[in-house]
Amino acid sequence: MSGARAWVGDWVTDEDRREAIVTDVIRGAVWVLRMPDAVLSDQWTTTDPDSLTVIRRRADRFTTL
């Protein structure tokens, strides 16, 4: 998926092809990620948001049919 950068709540893959949910963006400089099925202690960060590929936007994940 192309377009705007990943933001909080988006489901992404990182440069190592790990799937993650963006849980926070700190001062527009650090993206905090966690595995979709992990606890909050299993987090990592990136300062390169362009390395993230959005799989599904937050709004799309919570849309009801």
Side-chain angles (χ1 to χ4, degrees), residues 11-50:
W11 184 357
V12 301
T13 56
D14 70 2
E15 59 213 13
D16 296 324
R17 295 186 174 196
R18 294 178 292 185
E19 290 188 13
I21 302 294
V22 179
T23 61
D24 199 4
V25 177
I26 303 168
R27 297 185 180 174
V30 178
W31 274 246
V32 181
L33 309 167
R34 71 165 172 79
M35 290 186 160
D37 58 351
V39 294
L40 291 178
S41 62
D42 296 328
Q43 296 184 38
W44 67 98
T45 62
T46 184
T47 57
D48 181 11
D50 295 328

Side-chain angles (χ1 to χ4, degrees), residues 14 21 29 51 53 55 57 60 63:
D14 70 2
I21 302 294
S51 69
T53 302
I55 296 171
R57 295 276 176 206
D60 297 335
T63 301

